[in-house]
Amino acid sequence: MVSDGVFLTGLYFTCDPHLDKQAITLSKRDLEIFKMTRAWLDAYFLHHECGQCPPIKIEHATAFQQEVYEILKAIPYGETVTYKDIAKRIAIKRGMTSMSAQAVGQAVGSNPIAIMIGCHRVIGSNGKLTGYRGGLKNKKALLNHEKS
């Protein structure tokens, strides 16, 4: 967990290749935002109603990334969408004929708030699991957890 002291700014798996770039202060474990995040995660993993996510702030995200993250937040628990589906939604919203699913994939891959912003719920158009910063093993485990 990473915070600016008020907002959750990062939630990473320990295997995330970007984790070592984060400024994590272990001496601040008692922050209220971390307590709220732990409670949300406990509820999630116990299959209880999680309620609203703790306050999140995504720093340094482009407008396009923010647009993708809003779509990710709206994917219901236990459901999946494809990168292509997201690209189509954005294209329609912008009045375009098409949008790159690869660009969506790059935005999804830069999501700094794992699990709460459901990037694990995005799959390839062929139904296969594709890239996940937290590792495909964790992506599969989260999807299986949500379907159980």
Side-chain angles (χ1 to χ4, degrees):
M1 291 183 280
V2 182
S3 174
D4 63 3
V6 177
F7 295 94
L8 183 69
T9 58
L11 183 60
Y12 301 92
F13 288 92
T14 56
C15 63
D16 189 315
H18 298 91
L19 183 64
D20 61 345
K21 296 177 185 174
Q22 303 303 319
I24 300 172
T25 306
L26 296 177
S27 63
K28 303 272 186 184
R29 290 180 187 215
D30 63 339
L31 288 174
E32 186 61 29
I33 190 65
F34 291 159
K35 292 175 187 173
M36 294 168 66
T37 301
R38 282 191 293 274
W40 190 96
L41 289 168
D42 286 345
Y44 173 86
F45 285 109
L46 291 171
H47 296 284
H48 295 167
E49 177 59 43
C50 297
Q52 188 172 358
C53 286
I56 292 171
K57 180 167 67 174
I58 300 177
E59 301 172 321
H60 313 296
T62 66
F64 177 72
Q65 288 170 329
Q66 291 283 3
E67 196 170 358
V68 171
Y69 300 156
E70 289 305 312
I71 292 170
L72 297 179
K73 289 179 197 177
I75 303 170
Y77 181 98
E79 294 186 23
T80 58
V81 300
T82 67
Y83 297 95
K84 188 175 181 178
D85 292 335
I86 294 172
K88 285 179 184 177
R89 283 184 61 183
I90 293 173
I92 290 168
K93 182 179 175 186
R94 292 182 171 194
M96 300 166 63
T97 56
S98 66
M99 166 67 63
S100 166
Q102 185 177 12
V104 169
Q106 289 173 339
V108 170
S110 65
N111 170 25
I113 312 282
I115 304 173
M116 291 180 177
I117 298 178
C119 53
H120 61 282
R121 297 181 183 127
V122 184
I123 61 174
S125 57
N126 59 3
K128 293 189 177 185
L129 301 186
T130 58
Y132 188 59
R133 274 176 48 173
L136 286 179
K137 180 180 169 184
N138 286 330
K139 183 173 187 166
K140 184 176 182 179
L142 289 170
L143 291 173
N144 286 337
H145 168 77
E146 291 185 10
K147 291 182 194 263
S148 63

